[in-house]
């Protein structure tokens, strides 16, 4: 099985440990993984802002890089949805779907392709799980991360009230409408605090960056951690 | 009465009561006392009575009411009526809905204007769903009015208030 | 109110609403109430998803063949004695109503809830022409008294508290102050009863137009639409062309999804299927007019992408469920149809130049699509509209430049790497490029010591 890793640009530069954790997990299941160095960004920021021709350039580049793998795995549901759901929208090439269908978010790759329900990790903390909108509604990822987290030893997994509500990130939305975006972060954080969890986790570093950014600005003590980092704790 | 009809009646009753209607099962000879009692409870003195078949008409003539109108000359007159007693065309069990098809004797203002609306129906008029009614109905119908419980609103802080523009109470007497 | 009521002022309006804690509390209480009841009445239908799909398919069939069904509808309705008129835009529709009103020398109109009449500014227009026009839906009546606009399409006064309404009634209707909803409703009933009985014209919208039977279908709870379309001697219904559906039996699907989505009800109190004028009946109007309004809708029909927005049955669920709407309220959008679907309709009907901020005012979370009873891919259409905005140069030069630079960096891993190196260097010497719009309310993460690709090459590769 030829598996390639896609590490989104902001994880590459800001949260490299998430990439490291992803590699560690995949290696645990005896996968030979490749990380093509020509990769940069999936193009989502441009696509979501309406710059489709710019996004298209990156989409074409992306497919060229990843064309020959059996699977492409990424610790980001957001980028996964960009590739799987939106590439076919901007690339009218017939073969697009063939390649994009091989792209998986990490937890769905583990549960659906490898059919793994546990990484035998241990995490002695209480953790609230945050559904990213792209995971939940574009890709239908709801159970995969929960199953994996539930099987982490010593973890106390908590659900957030109104959990399917957006954290307010939304890419450039967060800077175009900072006040609205911040209010949405506030509601989310209020509900996270209510769980009493020490950590909040998610399939997406982008949500966590937003939620975490709001929390540290406002002195909230809950920490953010990407789900790969919990699952790689073995 | 077949088992099927009984089930439908049960369902209708449940749904109708859930939307705030009052459901009463009655034999023919109970109608008069039930109606009189209802009018008394509702403090209804002026009433409008739709044209029914002879048997029912005879019963309704004996109602205890200050004034009984059987033919409204104007809508203003109907607006002053406390309660109206009408028939209906179908009942829908699934939603507790009463179906009125407009014709010379059945019309909307007598349903909507009075404070209290009392409907007399027969068990054979009951159908499971609107689909069934539509199938059964002549496609060349005149206007139709579907009524599911009393008039209501939730426009003020989502508090449900009955009797906004239409009746506050809807009774269904099933013979 | 007027000059701020435009999509172009979205941001300022939103800010004002965000700071108005009382309004927000009113709104969110009402939203929470409806949404939690909705879950209850939706979950008792195990085949909800199948129903949504059917509703979607029927709307699709109707819109794909819209002129065919409109032709059948018109033929049927005309046979039944309804006068069908076309109006290409707001001005035409308003004038058609005025012409009818003038012909019978009308003094008083009663109106039941109709978003289309809101869309064309009908009430204001009739009043300017000396015809008293009264909203009879309680929520609309409250909003009219207050001189405001509806904040939601099915619950127009949801932003107001009972105290505010009590004060408004006391001031405008000269009654004693009360904040009891039952009392307030009673007062409105009395006041409006009089209007109903004396009105010359009843104006309504339409929820559906059934091609098969030529019926105008109106769904409501209060009975005011029933009365508006029964008591006055003339009834004028105004409907967007998209309201047509093929068959009578289609209604059974829509009734199931509409009530649940709009007001969390299993079935609305009243449904009128209006087929013909008075004839032999003791009541009903002598004449019924149906104005079929285009007002930009054919423009939507021309676009494969936008067409889908016309499937909308105006239930308002996508607004209630939208976290942005919940935060900024309906008025901020500055148009009759607020929220996610409203942002699409505004862009299409008013033109992007008059609505540009709206397609961007979404986090694209997809909640709207998830809740929509006819499964419109609202959030995907919004992204597409952003694309249109860029194509039509509706975004700033700076932004365009940023994305050009960004693409330059991302196109080539070497340049990307060099850019990252530069950022690290800047950090080392203490310069941290900051984005005020982000960092005023949120910390921005620090760039990591080493990027993942460096770690990979040095440590993980083998
Ligand atoms: S888009 Fe869908 S959810 Fe929104 S109002 Fe229309 S039908 Fe309702």
């Amino acid at each position: 099985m030829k598996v390639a890793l896609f590490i989104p640009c902001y994880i590459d530069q800001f949260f490299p440990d998430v990439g490291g954790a992803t590699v560690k997990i995949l290696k645990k299941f005896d996968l030979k993984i490749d990380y093509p160095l020509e990769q940069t960004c999936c193009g989502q920021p441009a696509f979501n802002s309406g710059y489709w021709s710019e996004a298209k350039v990156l989409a074409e580049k992306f497919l060229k890089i990843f064309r020959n793998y059996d699977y492409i795995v990424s610790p980001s549901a957001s980028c996964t949805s960009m590739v799987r759901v939106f590439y076919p929208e901007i690339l009218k090439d017939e073969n697009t779907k063939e390649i994009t269908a091989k792209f998986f978010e990490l937890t769905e790759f583990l549960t659906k392709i490898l059919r793994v329900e546990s990484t035998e990790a241990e995490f002695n903390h209480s953790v609230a799980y945050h559904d990213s909108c792209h995971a939940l509604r574009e890709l239908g990822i709801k159970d995969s991360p929960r199953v994996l987290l539930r099987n982490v030893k010593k973890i106390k997994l908590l659900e957030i009230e109104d959990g399917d509500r957006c954290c307010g990130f939304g890419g450039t939305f967060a800077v175009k409408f900072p006040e609205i975006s911040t209010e949405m972060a506030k509601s989310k954080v209020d509900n996270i605090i209510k769980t009493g969890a020490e950590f909040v986790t998610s399939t997406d570093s982008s949500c966590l960056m937003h939620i975490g950014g709001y929390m540290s600005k406002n002195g909230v003590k809950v920490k953010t951690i990407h789900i790969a980092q919990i699952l790689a704790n073995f | 009465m077949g088992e099927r009809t009984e089930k439908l009646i049960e369902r209708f009753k449940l749904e109708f009561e859930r939307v705030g209607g009052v459901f009463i099962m009655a034999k023919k000879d109970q109608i008069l006392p039930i109606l009189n009692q209802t009018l008394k409870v509702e403090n209804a003195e002026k009433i409008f009575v739709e044209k029914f078949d002879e048997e029912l008409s005879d019963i309704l003539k004996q109602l205890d009411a200050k004034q009984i109108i059987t033919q409204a000359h104007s809508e203003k007159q109907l607006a002053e009526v406390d309660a109206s007693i009408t028939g209906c065309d179908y009942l829908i069990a699934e939603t507790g809905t009463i179906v009125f098809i407009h014709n010379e004797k059945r019309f909307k203002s007598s349903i909507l204007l009075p404070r209290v609306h009392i409907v007399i129906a027969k068990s054979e008029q009951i159908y499971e769903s609107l689909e069934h009614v539509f199938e059964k109905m002549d496609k060349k119908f005149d206007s139709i009015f579907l009524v599911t419980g009393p008039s209501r609103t939730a426009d003020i802080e989502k508090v449900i208030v009955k009797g906004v523009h239409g009746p506050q109470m809807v009774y269904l007497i099933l013979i | 109110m007027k000059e701020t009521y435009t999509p172009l002022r979205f941001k300022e309006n939103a800010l004002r609403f965000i700071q108005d804690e009382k309004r927000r509390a009113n709104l969110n209480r009402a939203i929470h109430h409806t949404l939690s009841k909705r879950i209850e009445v939706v979950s008792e239908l195990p085949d909800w998803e199948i129903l949504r799909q059917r509703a979607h398919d029927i709307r699709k069939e109707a819109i794909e063949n819209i002129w065919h069904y409109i032709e059948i509808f018109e033929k049927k309705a005309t046979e039944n004695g309804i006068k069908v008129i076309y109006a290409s835009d707001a001005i035409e529709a308003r004038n058609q109503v005025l012409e009818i009103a003038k012909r019978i020398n009308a003094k008083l109109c009663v109106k039941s809830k109709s978003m289309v009449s809101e869309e064309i500014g009908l009430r204001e227009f009739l009043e300017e022409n000396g015809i008293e026009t009264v909203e009879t839906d309680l929520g609309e009546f409250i909003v009219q008294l207050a001189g405001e606009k509806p904040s939601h399409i099915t619950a127009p006064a949801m932003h107001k508290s009972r105290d505010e309404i009590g004060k408004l009634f006391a001031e405008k209707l000269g009654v004693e102050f009360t904040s009891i909803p039952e009392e307030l409703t009673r007062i409105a009933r009395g006041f409006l009863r009089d209007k109903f009985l004396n009105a010359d014209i009843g104006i309504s919208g339409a929820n559906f137009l059934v091609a098969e039977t030529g019926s105008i279908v109106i769904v409501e709870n209060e009975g005011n639409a029933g009365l508006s379309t029964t008591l006055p001697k003339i009834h004028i219904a105004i409907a967007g062309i998209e309201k047509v559906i093929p068959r009578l039996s289609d209604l059974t699907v829509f009734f199931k999804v509409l009530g649940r989505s709009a007001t969390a009800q299993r079935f609305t109190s009243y449904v009128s299927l209006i087929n013909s004028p008075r004839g032999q009946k003791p009541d009903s109007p002598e004449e019924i007019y149906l104005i079929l309004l285009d007002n930009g809708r054919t423009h939507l029909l021309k676009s494969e992408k936008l067409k889908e927005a016309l499937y909308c049955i105006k239930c308002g669920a996508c607004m209630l469920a939208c976290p942005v709407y919940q935060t900024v309220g309906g008025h901020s959008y500055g148009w009759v149809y607020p929220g996610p679907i409203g942002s699409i309709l505004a862009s299409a009907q008013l033109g992007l130049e008059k609505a540009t901020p709206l397609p961007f005012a979404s986090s694209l979370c997809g909640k709207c699509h998830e809740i929509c009873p006819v499964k419109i891919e609202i959030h995907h259409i919004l992204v597409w509209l952003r694309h249109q905005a860029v194509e039509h140069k509706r975004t700033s030069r700076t932004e365009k430049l940023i994305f050009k630079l960004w693409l330059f960096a991302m196109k080539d891993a070497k340049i990307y790497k060099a850019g990252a190196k530069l950022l690290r260097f800047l950090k080392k010497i203490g310069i941290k490029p900051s984005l005020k719009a982000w960092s005023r309310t949120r910390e921005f993460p620090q760039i990591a010591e080493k990027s993942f690709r460096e770690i990979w090459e040095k440590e993980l590769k083998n």
Side-chain angles (χ1 to χ4, degrees), chain A residues 12-13 89 137 164-165, chain C residues 305 326 365 367 416 424:
Chain A
D12 181 27
Q13 297 302 331
E89 181 108 359
R137 280 181 283 266
D164 66 344
R165 192 176 196 264
Chain C
K305 223 23 236 205
Q326 290 170 1
C365 77
K367 194 71 198 176
Y416 164 84
R424 276 194 186 81

Side-chain angles (χ1 to χ4, degrees), chain C residues 59-71:
Chain C
R59 290 301 295 144
K60 184 170 180 172
E61 181 190 351
I63 296 301
E64 289 295 331
N65 306 287
I66 187 165
W67 300 115
H68 167 71
Y69 286 120
I70 284 187
E71 198 185 317

Side-chain angles (χ1 to χ4, degrees), chain C residues 198-426:
Chain C
N198 294 306
D200 307 299
I201 296 179
I203 294 173
S204 79
N207 292 89
F208 304 100
L209 304 171
V210 182
E212 183 187 16
T213 56
S215 319
I216 300 168
V217 183
I218 304 171
V219 176
E220 55 144 351
N221 276 311
E222 296 182 0
N224 64 314
L227 290 174
S228 310
T229 59
T230 303
L231 300 180
K233 56 178 180 295
I234 290 194
H235 168 206
I236 305 173
I238 309 167
I241 50 169
E242 83 280 8
K243 291 288 177 194
V244 73
I245 55 169
R247 293 157 297 265
L248 187 66
S249 60
D250 296 336
L251 284 175
T252 62
V253 176
F254 291 117
F255 289 162
K256 277 190 191 133
V257 296
L258 179 58
R260 285 180 168 81
S261 303
T263 45
Q265 277 175 287
R266 295 178 180 87
F267 210 86
T268 39
S269 303
Y270 300 116
V271 178
S272 301
L273 278 81
I274 297 167
N275 267 35
S276 47
R278 193 161 196 142
Q280 299 304 310
K281 293 178 294 243
D283 65 8
S284 300
E286 280 149 24
E287 291 177 87
I288 301 177
Y289 294 89
L290 174 72
I291 299 178
L292 278 172
L293 178 71
D294 185 333
N295 208 26
R297 287 166 176 78
T298 39
H299 172 67
L300 276 92
L301 282 172
K302 280 186 209 130
S303 154
E304 276 310 312
K305 223 23 236 205
L306 291 175
K307 228 189 225 176
E308 203 182 318
L310 291 176
Y311 299 0
C312 175
I313 56 172
K314 305 279 155 65
C315 73
C318 60
M319 298 154 205
L320 297 183
C322 172
V324 175
Y325 179 94
Q326 290 170 1
T327 311
V328 305
H331 288 141
S332 297
Y333 292 84
W335 202 48
V336 265
Y337 309 107
I341 188 70
S343 298
I344 299 175
L345 296 174
S347 310
Q349 284 184 259
L350 301 173
L352 270 172
E353 64 285 358
K354 293 204 179 117
T356 300
L358 296 187
F360 293 91
S362 162
S363 67
L364 304 175
C365 77
K367 194 71 198 176
C368 46
H369 167 59
E370 183 183 78
I371 204 164
C372 174
V374 291
K375 289 180 86 164
I376 302 172
E377 292 205 308
I378 303 170
H379 58 317
H380 292 182
I381 303 177
L382 286 173
V383 193
W384 183 80
L385 280 167
R386 293 179 182 186
H387 171 49
Q388 297 304 306
V390 170
E391 296 279 285
H392 293 95
K393 307 206 164 43
R394 300 293 314 158
T395 52
S396 75
R397 282 234 191 95
T398 333
E399 186 182 288
K400 215 178 169 85
L401 185 69
I402 291 173
F403 275 106
K404 280 245 144 38
L405 280 170
W406 172 85
L407 178 65
F408 175 72
M410 293 298 177
K411 224 165 48 184
D412 188 334
K414 274 190 228 99
I415 302 172
Y416 164 84
K417 257 168 71 184
K421 222 179 194 165
L422 176 68
L423 284 178
R424 276 194 186 81
F425 172 71
L426 289 176

Side-chain angles (χ1 to χ4, degrees), chain B residues 109 142 148 151 155 157 165-166, chain C residues 136 139 162 189 222 269 276 283:
Chain B
S109 35
D142 203 320
T148 310
S151 151
D155 274 343
E157 287 191 10
H165 296 293
Chain C
T136 59
R162 59 181 82 187
R189 176 182 171 116
E222 296 182 0
S269 303
S276 47
D283 65 8

